[in-house]
Amino acid sequence: NDMKTTLRLTLGTAGIVALLALGACSGMTQQEKSTAIGAGAGAIGGSILTGGSTAGTVGGAAIGGLIGHEIKK
């Protein structure tokens, strides 16, 4: 039950952050957009894989951001 609550909270927060980030993307380069998208996806993945741990979320965001940045070089 705690896992479902954590997952819902994580996905809800990620959705809100994604909507806010889209508004800020208008002046970003394609590489910056890819970095932001990678970080968001990595944060969600890291959170899910580690049961909502902060370290997993931050680590996933860092790895996802790095991958997103490198893809659009």
Side-chain angles (χ1 to χ4, degrees):
N1 196 13
D2 286 337
M3 180 67 170
K4 287 183 182 180
T5 302
T6 301
L7 181 59
R8 280 191 211 150
L9 181 61
T10 301
L11 293 177
T13 302
I16 291 169
V17 170
L19 288 174
L20 293 173
L22 287 175
C25 285
S26 62
M28 295 173 77
T29 67
Q30 186 60 42
Q31 187 174 23
E32 291 169 336
K33 289 177 188 177
S34 294
T35 301
I37 291 168
I44 293 169
S47 177
I48 291 170
L49 291 174
T50 61
S53 80
T54 302
T57 303
V58 172
I63 292 169
L66 180 63
I67 292 170
H69 181 267
E70 294 301 313
I71 286 175
K72 287 296 178 178
K73 266 194 167 178

